[in-house]
Amino acid sequence: MTTKPVKTLANKRVLLGVSAGIAAYKTPDLVRKLTELGAEVEVILTRNADQFVAPLALQAVSGRSVHNYAMTAESESGMGHIDLARWADVVLIAPATANVIARLCQGNADELLTTVCVATEAPLAVAPAMNQQMWQNPATEENIKTLAGRGAFILGPDSGEQACGEIGPGRMLQPIEIARRLGTHFQLGAMAGKNVMITAGPTWEAIDPVRGITNHSSGLMGYALAQAAVESGANVTLVSGPTNLSPPERAKAINVTSALDMHAAVFAEIDDQDVFIGVAAVADYRPVNSVTHKIKKNADEMTITMVKNPDILADVASHSKRPFCVGFAAETNDVIDYARGKLERKKLDMIAANHVGSSETGFGTPNNAITLITNDSVTELPKQNKYALARVLMNEIAKKLP
Ligand code: C5P
């Protein structure tokens, strides 16, 4: 009796980039394995990849027309590079040649696939396939390290006999193994059907119509968490203060300005939520009176009287219909102790403590490192790209849900 595979890629959109290596002949089978796990697959070939695999075969198994390397007026009038970049939940490059890996590292946008990789916010997964000498070349080693450091998921390579007759590392993993690892890595579906609300960014506390008090929060960590929650199958509401970021396509975005606005937006929908993650750097105080006209600089001194803002996270955690509550504690010293204090004081289920003293992690930087604390556990999530970290964090939250 055969058992049906668990659909770890249910509803997920996999953009498969096929580059010009001999292992490309296995990609129709890879498409089959991905679709068997529930994925929708859209294929882009790089220049010359059609020498190793017939586009028609890929079209037949994916049920969609296959994109070639060129960016022409005709191809762009259909699903162009930006549409493809937005469409993807994950970009999988298999096989990934040494050449395409090098171009990805440099951020080249010299043909359709590399352009989509530069334009997308979707995570990147790479299944290298090349001769063993090429795989062990220091340039390739460095390039792989660079991609992994930016959060790319490196699948393989396998070791063994190669198409060129040599024996060593560099073979592409078998299609079934690539599909299986992709599903497991992204843990897609871990939050399927859950309602997740996330606050992000800074707040702006007006002094007058043109001036205000704010902070350096970029919003990146909260937006990355919203993206990770969408990828894991949740219905996501992102309540954000002013940032320069675009919310994930399938999240419901609510833009607010002040802490009071944010509090109101959160409480308007809190009863429906299963999880609340407070990532916003909410201003602790606001000017008592925000005047409606611009203040003139007549006096030598001016005093602004401030009043305390509500603590949105603490209010959610003590709400009668309370979701699973996760807070963030940005600290410069005694990080764990302060974070544990906040966990207890605000009655949270989990707190993510991060060191903001360092120039390498925290506010405005692409990377972050977190210590995740609950009443009975402490888990270190090492320094990594905020998008990669967000996916790990989302899986940790999913494990704690009823
Ligand atoms: O107390 P502190 O500001 O350090 O707590 C940080 C945590 O509390 C973050 O999760 C933040 O989003 C949340 N918070 C809030 N409302 C406030 C202050 C902080 O939701 N007024």
Side-chain angles (χ1 to χ4, degrees):
M1 196 181 81
T2 52
T3 48
K4 277 194 182 166
V6 179
K7 300 231 172 202
T8 48
L9 293 169
N11 300 324
K12 297 306 153 205
R13 298 160 170 181
V14 178
L15 188 61
L16 174 64
V18 176
S19 64
I22 178 62
Y25 83 87
K26 296 183 177 175
T27 53
D29 187 29
L30 175 57
V31 173
R32 284 293 294 272
K33 296 292 184 289
L34 293 167
T35 51
E36 277 170 18
L37 294 185
E40 280 180 77
V41 184
E42 186 86 38
V43 182
I44 304 179
L45 299 177
T46 65
R47 193 186 295 266
N48 295 328
D50 61 357
Q51 304 286 317
F52 298 97
V53 60
L56 199 55
L58 288 164
Q59 181 178 314
V61 283
S62 68
R64 294 164 170 262
S65 53
V66 169
H67 306 264
N68 74 7
Y69 70 91
M71 292 172 65
T72 60
E74 194 195 351
S75 65
E76 286 292 296
S77 70
M79 200 172 183
H81 66 284
I82 297 296
D83 299 315
L84 286 164
R86 290 191 184 136
W87 179 87
D89 289 323
V90 55
V91 178
L92 166 65
I93 305 194
T97 59
N99 179 34
V100 87
I101 288 169
R103 286 188 289 147
L104 289 173
C105 268
Q106 294 199 328
N108 279 2
D110 52 355
E111 57 172 288
L112 181 60
L113 178 65
T114 49
T115 306
V116 169
C117 287
V118 176
T120 192
E121 283 182 9
L124 178 68
V126 174
M130 66 196 76
N131 160 276
Q132 50 118 2
Q133 290 294 350
M134 293 172 82
W135 172 249
Q136 291 173 87
N137 182 287
T140 308
E141 282 181 356
E142 279 294 309
N143 289 340
I144 284 287
K145 254 192 226 156
T146 304
L147 290 183
R150 290 182 199 151
F153 178 39
I154 312 296
L155 297 127
D158 221 345
S159 213
E161 194 171 335
Q162 303 204 298
C164 55
E166 292 180 19
I167 294 177
R171 280 162 56 116
M172 188 174 84
L173 287 178
Q174 291 304 328
I176 193 164
E177 192 56 20
I178 294 177
R180 195 187 60 74
R181 290 197 198 180
L182 194 70
T184 310
H185 178 70
F186 291 107
Q187 297 272 302
L188 300 171
M191 287 274 199
K194 300 279 183 206
N195 294 335
V196 176
M197 180 182 268
I198 298 169
T199 64
T203 62
W204 170 271
E205 309 300 328
I207 297 169
D208 71 14
V210 293
R211 304 182 183 94
I213 296 168
T214 188
N215 59 64
H216 280 309
S217 168
S218 65
L220 194 56
M221 192 67 228
Y223 279 60
L225 276 165
Q227 174 71 36
V230 166
E231 279 171 18
S232 65
N235 307 310
V236 180
T237 306
L238 176 64
V239 183
S240 175
T243 73
N244 291 320
L245 304 171
S246 317
E249 195 195 334
R250 279 163 289 161
K252 173 178 173 184
I254 302 176
N255 292 322
V256 297
T257 307
S258 68
L260 288 181
D261 295 343
M262 188 175 273
H263 193 277
V266 164
F267 272 82
E269 301 191 16
I270 200 65
D271 287 355
D272 301 328
Q273 305 304 321
D274 299 298
V275 177
F276 179 81
I277 313 176
V279 198
V282 184
D284 292 321
Y285 296 90
R286 66 178 183 276
V288 180
N289 300 310
S290 162
V291 294
T292 49
H293 57 273
K294 186 179 168 194
I295 300 169
K296 294 289 170 212
K297 53 172 181 271
N298 299 332
D300 286 340
E301 284 182 7
M302 79 176 277
T303 304
I304 300 171
T305 306
M306 313 270 280
V307 57
K308 210 162 192 181
N309 271 328
D311 189 316
I312 302 168
L313 178 60
D315 286 357
V316 170
S318 51
H319 185 57
S320 54
K321 262 190 102 185
R322 170 192 192 284
F324 185 89
C325 289
V326 184
F328 268 69
E331 306 289 349
T332 52
N333 56 300
D334 298 323
V335 179
I336 310 283
D337 284 350
Y338 282 128
R340 215 183 272 286
K342 254 171 231 181
L343 179 81
E344 282 161 21
R345 206 168 49 251
K346 299 194 189 205
K347 301 189 176 69
L348 307 179
D349 298 290
M350 184 185 271
I351 193 149
N354 64 326
H355 308 237
V356 286
S358 135
S359 58
E360 290 184 6
T361 56
F363 279 6
T365 65
N367 294 324
N368 209 353
I370 277 176
T371 308
L372 213 51
I373 303 169
T374 67
N375 275 329
D376 54 15
S377 65
V378 176
T379 314
E380 293 291 342
L381 308 182
K383 183 180 136 190
Q384 54 199 306
N385 171 291
K386 285 180 181 172
Y387 280 91
L389 185 68
R391 288 194 291 272
V392 181
L393 184 52
M394 201 53 64
N395 289 332
E396 292 296 325
I397 295 171
K399 281 189 214 160
K400 302 275 179 192
L401 296 181

